[in-house]
CSV table of all heavy atoms in Angstrom, one decimal:
chain,number,residue,atom,x,y,z
A,281,ARG,N,278.4,5.7,34.7
A,281,ARG,CA,277.1,5.1,34.3
A,281,ARG,C,277.2,3.8,33.5
A,281,ARG,O,276.5,2.9,33.8
A,281,ARG,CB,276.3,6.2,33.5
A,281,ARG,CG,274.9,5.7,33.2
A,281,ARG,CD,274.0,6.8,32.6
A,281,ARG,NE,272.7,6.3,32.2
A,281,ARG,CZ,271.6,6.2,32.9
A,281,ARG,NH1,271.7,6.6,34.2
A,281,ARG,NH2,270.5,5.7,32.4
A,282,ALA,N,278.2,3.8,32.6
A,282,ALA,CA,278.4,2.6,31.8
A,282,ALA,C,278.8,1.4,32.8
A,282,ALA,O,278.4,0.3,32.6
A,282,ALA,CB,279.4,2.8,30.8
A,283,GLN,N,279.6,1.8,33.8
A,283,GLN,CA,280.1,0.7,34.7
A,283,GLN,C,278.9,0.1,35.5
A,283,GLN,O,278.8,-1.1,35.7
A,283,GLN,CB,281.1,1.3,35.7
A,283,GLN,CG,282.4,1.7,35.0
A,283,GLN,CD,283.5,2.2,36.0
A,283,GLN,OE1,283.7,1.6,37.0
A,283,GLN,NE2,284.2,3.3,35.6
A,284,TYR,N,278.0,1.0,35.9
A,284,TYR,CA,276.8,0.5,36.7
A,284,TYR,C,275.9,-0.3,35.8
A,284,TYR,O,275.4,-1.3,36.2
A,284,TYR,CB,276.0,1.7,37.2
A,284,TYR,CG,276.4,2.1,38.6
A,284,TYR,CD1,277.4,3.1,38.9
A,284,TYR,CD2,275.9,1.4,39.7
A,284,TYR,CE1,277.7,3.4,40.2
A,284,TYR,CE2,276.3,1.8,41.0
A,284,TYR,CZ,277.2,2.8,41.2
A,284,TYR,OH,277.6,3.1,42.5
A,285,ILE,N,275.8,0.1,34.5
A,285,ILE,CA,275.0,-0.7,33.5
A,285,ILE,C,275.6,-2.1,33.4
A,285,ILE,O,274.9,-3.1,33.4
A,285,ILE,CB,274.8,0.0,32.2
A,285,ILE,CG1,274.0,1.3,32.4
A,285,ILE,CG2,274.3,-0.9,31.1
A,285,ILE,CD1,273.9,2.2,31.1
A,286,ARG,N,277.0,-2.1,33.2
A,286,ARG,CA,277.7,-3.4,33.0
A,286,ARG,C,277.5,-4.3,34.2
A,286,ARG,O,277.2,-5.5,34.1
A,286,ARG,CB,279.2,-3.1,32.9
A,286,ARG,CG,279.6,-2.6,31.5
A,286,ARG,CD,281.1,-2.4,31.4
A,286,ARG,NE,281.5,-1.9,30.2
A,286,ARG,CZ,282.8,-1.7,29.9
A,286,ARG,NH1,283.7,-1.9,30.8
A,286,ARG,NH2,283.2,-1.2,28.7
A,287,VAL,N,277.6,-3.7,35.4
A,287,VAL,CA,277.4,-4.5,36.6
A,287,VAL,C,276.0,-5.1,36.7
A,287,VAL,O,275.8,-6.2,37.0
A,287,VAL,CB,277.8,-3.7,37.9
A,287,VAL,CG1,277.3,-4.4,39.2
A,287,VAL,CG2,279.3,-3.5,38.0
A,288,MET,N,275.0,-4.2,36.4
A,288,MET,CA,273.6,-4.6,36.4
A,288,MET,C,273.4,-5.8,35.5
A,288,MET,O,272.7,-6.8,35.8
A,288,MET,CB,272.7,-3.5,36.1
A,288,MET,CG,271.2,-3.8,36.1
A,288,MET,SD,270.2,-2.4,35.9
A,288,MET,CE,270.3,-2.1,34.1
A,289,PHE,N,273.9,-5.7,34.3
A,289,PHE,CA,273.7,-6.8,33.3
A,289,PHE,C,274.5,-8.0,33.6
A,289,PHE,O,274.1,-9.1,33.3
A,289,PHE,CB,273.9,-6.3,31.9
A,289,PHE,CG,272.7,-5.7,31.2
A,289,PHE,CD1,272.4,-4.4,31.3
A,289,PHE,CD2,271.7,-6.6,30.7
A,289,PHE,CE1,271.2,-3.9,30.7
A,289,PHE,CE2,270.5,-6.1,30.2
A,289,PHE,CZ,270.2,-4.8,30.2
A,290,ASP,N,275.7,-7.8,34.2
A,290,ASP,CA,276.4,-9.0,34.7
A,290,ASP,C,275.6,-9.8,35.7
A,290,ASP,O,275.5,-11.0,35.7
A,290,ASP,CB,277.7,-8.6,35.4
A,290,ASP,CG,278.9,-8.4,34.5
A,290,ASP,OD1,278.6,-8.3,33.2
A,290,ASP,OD2,280.1,-8.4,34.9
A,291,GLU,N,274.9,-9.1,36.6
A,291,GLU,CA,274.1,-9.8,37.6
A,291,GLU,C,272.8,-10.4,37.0
A,291,GLU,O,272.3,-11.4,37.4
A,291,GLU,CB,273.8,-8.9,38.8
A,291,GLU,CG,275.0,-8.4,39.5
A,291,GLU,CD,275.9,-9.6,40.0
A,291,GLU,OE1,275.4,-10.6,40.4
A,291,GLU,OE2,277.1,-9.4,39.8
A,292,ILE,N,272.2,-9.7,36.0
A,292,ILE,CA,271.1,-10.2,35.3
A,292,ILE,C,271.5,-11.5,34.6
A,292,ILE,O,270.8,-12.5,34.6
A,292,ILE,CB,270.5,-9.2,34.2
A,292,ILE,CG1,269.7,-8.1,34.9
A,292,ILE,CG2,269.7,-9.9,33.2
A,292,ILE,CD1,269.3,-6.9,34.0
A,293,THR,N,272.7,-11.5,34.0
A,293,THR,CA,273.3,-12.7,33.4
A,293,THR,C,273.5,-13.8,34.4
A,293,THR,O,273.3,-15.0,34.1
A,293,THR,CB,274.6,-12.3,32.6
A,293,THR,OG1,274.4,-11.2,31.8
A,293,THR,CG2,275.1,-13.5,31.9
A,294,ARG,N,274.0,-13.5,35.6
A,294,ARG,CA,274.2,-14.5,36.6
A,294,ARG,C,272.9,-15.2,37.0
A,294,ARG,O,272.8,-16.4,37.1
A,294,ARG,CB,274.8,-13.8,37.9
A,294,ARG,CG,275.4,-14.8,38.9
A,294,ARG,CD,276.1,-14.1,40.1
A,294,ARG,NE,276.9,-13.0,39.6
A,294,ARG,CZ,278.2,-13.1,39.1
A,294,ARG,NH1,278.7,-14.3,39.1
A,294,ARG,NH2,278.8,-12.1,38.7
A,295,ILE,N,271.8,-14.4,37.1
A,295,ILE,CA,270.5,-15.0,37.4
A,295,ILE,C,270.0,-15.8,36.2
A,295,ILE,O,269.6,-17.0,36.4
A,295,ILE,CB,269.4,-13.9,37.7
A,295,ILE,CG1,269.8,-13.2,39.0
A,295,ILE,CG2,268.1,-14.5,37.8
A,295,ILE,CD1,268.9,-12.0,39.4
A,296,LEU,N,270.2,-15.3,35.0
A,296,LEU,CA,269.9,-16.1,33.8
A,296,LEU,C,270.6,-17.5,33.8
A,296,LEU,O,270.0,-18.5,33.5
A,296,LEU,CB,270.3,-15.4,32.5
A,296,LEU,CG,269.3,-14.4,31.9
A,296,LEU,CD1,270.0,-13.5,30.8
A,296,LEU,CD2,268.1,-15.1,31.3
A,297,ASN,N,271.9,-17.4,34.1
A,297,ASN,CA,272.7,-18.7,34.1
A,297,ASN,C,272.2,-19.6,35.2
A,297,ASN,O,272.0,-20.8,34.9
A,297,ASN,CB,274.2,-18.3,34.4
A,297,ASN,CG,275.1,-19.5,34.4
A,297,ASN,OD1,275.8,-19.8,33.4
A,297,ASN,ND2,275.2,-20.3,35.4
A,298,HIS,N,272.0,-19.1,36.4
A,298,HIS,CA,271.6,-20.0,37.5
A,298,HIS,C,270.2,-20.5,37.3
A,298,HIS,O,269.9,-21.6,37.7
A,298,HIS,CB,271.7,-19.2,38.8
A,298,HIS,CG,273.1,-19.0,39.3
A,298,HIS,ND1,274.2,-19.6,38.6
A,298,HIS,CD2,273.7,-18.3,40.3
A,298,HIS,CE1,275.3,-19.2,39.3
A,298,HIS,NE2,275.0,-18.4,40.3
A,299,LEU,N,269.3,-19.7,36.7
A,299,LEU,CA,268.0,-20.3,36.4
A,299,LEU,C,268.1,-21.4,35.3
A,299,LEU,O,267.4,-22.4,35.5
A,299,LEU,CB,267.1,-19.2,35.8
A,299,LEU,CG,266.5,-18.1,36.8
A,299,LEU,CD1,265.8,-17.0,36.1
A,299,LEU,CD2,265.6,-18.8,37.9
A,300,MET,N,268.9,-21.2,34.3
A,300,MET,CA,269.1,-22.3,33.4
A,300,MET,C,269.7,-23.5,34.1
A,300,MET,O,269.2,-24.7,33.8
A,300,MET,CB,270.1,-21.8,32.3
A,300,MET,CG,270.5,-22.8,31.3
A,300,MET,SD,269.3,-23.0,30.0
A,300,MET,CE,269.8,-24.5,29.3
A,301,TRP,N,270.6,-23.3,34.9
A,301,TRP,CA,271.3,-24.4,35.7
A,301,TRP,C,270.2,-25.1,36.5
A,301,TRP,O,270.1,-26.4,36.5
A,301,TRP,CB,272.4,-23.9,36.6
A,301,TRP,CG,272.9,-24.9,37.5
A,301,TRP,CD1,273.8,-26.0,37.2
A,301,TRP,CD2,272.5,-25.1,38.9
A,301,TRP,NE1,273.9,-26.8,38.3
A,301,TRP,CE2,273.1,-26.3,39.3
A,301,TRP,CE3,271.6,-24.4,39.7
A,301,TRP,CZ2,273.0,-26.7,40.6
A,301,TRP,CZ3,271.4,-24.9,41.0
A,301,TRP,CH2,272.1,-26.0,41.5
A,302,LEU,N,269.4,-24.4,37.3
A,302,LEU,CA,268.5,-25.0,38.2
A,302,LEU,C,267.4,-25.8,37.5
A,302,LEU,O,267.1,-26.9,37.9
A,302,LEU,CB,267.8,-23.9,39.1
A,302,LEU,CG,266.9,-24.3,40.2
A,302,LEU,CD1,267.7,-25.2,41.2
A,302,LEU,CD2,266.4,-23.1,41.0
A,303,GLY,N,266.9,-25.2,36.4
A,303,GLY,CA,265.9,-25.9,35.6
A,303,GLY,C,266.5,-27.2,35.0
A,303,GLY,O,265.8,-28.2,35.1
A,304,ALA,N,267.7,-27.1,34.4
A,304,ALA,CA,268.3,-28.3,33.7
A,304,ALA,C,268.7,-29.3,34.7
A,304,ALA,O,268.5,-30.5,34.6
A,304,ALA,CB,269.4,-27.8,32.9
A,305,HIS,N,269.3,-28.9,35.9
A,305,HIS,CA,269.7,-29.8,36.9
A,305,HIS,C,268.5,-30.5,37.6
A,305,HIS,O,268.6,-31.7,37.8
A,305,HIS,CB,270.5,-29.0,38.0
A,305,HIS,CG,271.2,-29.8,39.0
A,305,HIS,ND1,271.8,-31.0,38.7
A,305,HIS,CD2,271.4,-29.6,40.4
A,305,HIS,CE1,272.3,-31.5,39.9
A,305,HIS,NE2,272.0,-30.7,40.8
A,306,GLY,N,267.5,-29.7,37.8
A,306,GLY,CA,266.2,-30.3,38.3
A,306,GLY,C,265.7,-31.3,37.4
A,306,GLY,O,265.3,-32.5,37.8
A,307,LEU,N,265.7,-31.0,36.1
A,307,LEU,CA,265.2,-32.0,35.1
A,307,LEU,C,266.0,-33.3,35.1
A,307,LEU,O,265.5,-34.4,35.0
A,307,LEU,CB,265.2,-31.3,33.7
A,307,LEU,CG,264.3,-31.9,32.6
A,307,LEU,CD1,262.9,-31.8,32.9
A,307,LEU,CD2,264.6,-31.1,31.3
A,308,ASP,N,267.3,-33.1,35.2
A,308,ASP,CA,268.2,-34.3,35.2
A,308,ASP,C,268.0,-35.2,36.4
A,308,ASP,O,268.1,-36.4,36.2
A,308,ASP,CB,269.7,-33.8,35.3
A,308,ASP,CG,270.2,-33.2,34.0
A,308,ASP,OD1,269.5,-33.4,33.0
A,308,ASP,OD2,271.2,-32.6,34.0
A,309,VAL,N,267.7,-34.7,37.5
A,309,VAL,CA,267.6,-35.5,38.7
A,309,VAL,C,266.1,-35.8,39.1
A,309,VAL,O,265.9,-36.3,40.2
A,309,VAL,CB,268.4,-35.0,39.9
A,309,VAL,CG1,269.9,-35.1,39.6
A,309,VAL,CG2,268.1,-33.7,40.4
A,310,GLY,N,265.2,-35.4,38.3
A,310,GLY,CA,263.8,-35.8,38.5
A,310,GLY,C,262.8,-34.7,38.9
A,310,GLY,O,261.7,-35.0,39.1
A,311,ALA,N,263.3,-33.5,39.2
A,311,ALA,CA,262.3,-32.4,39.6
A,311,ALA,C,261.8,-31.7,38.3
A,311,ALA,O,262.3,-30.7,37.9
A,311,ALA,CB,263.0,-31.4,40.5
A,312,MET,N,260.9,-32.3,37.7
A,312,MET,CA,260.4,-31.9,36.3
A,312,MET,C,259.9,-30.5,36.3
A,312,MET,O,260.2,-29.8,35.3
A,312,MET,CB,259.4,-32.9,35.8
A,312,MET,CG,259.8,-34.3,35.8
A,312,MET,SD,261.2,-34.6,34.7
A,312,MET,CE,260.8,-36.0,33.9
């Protein structure tokens, strides 16, 4: 159960990271 929770939060973190990236990258190149 702990392994499944870890994997779930790893993927939540992946989405968090990519959302941060997409927002900041968009801002950098003009997609405000």
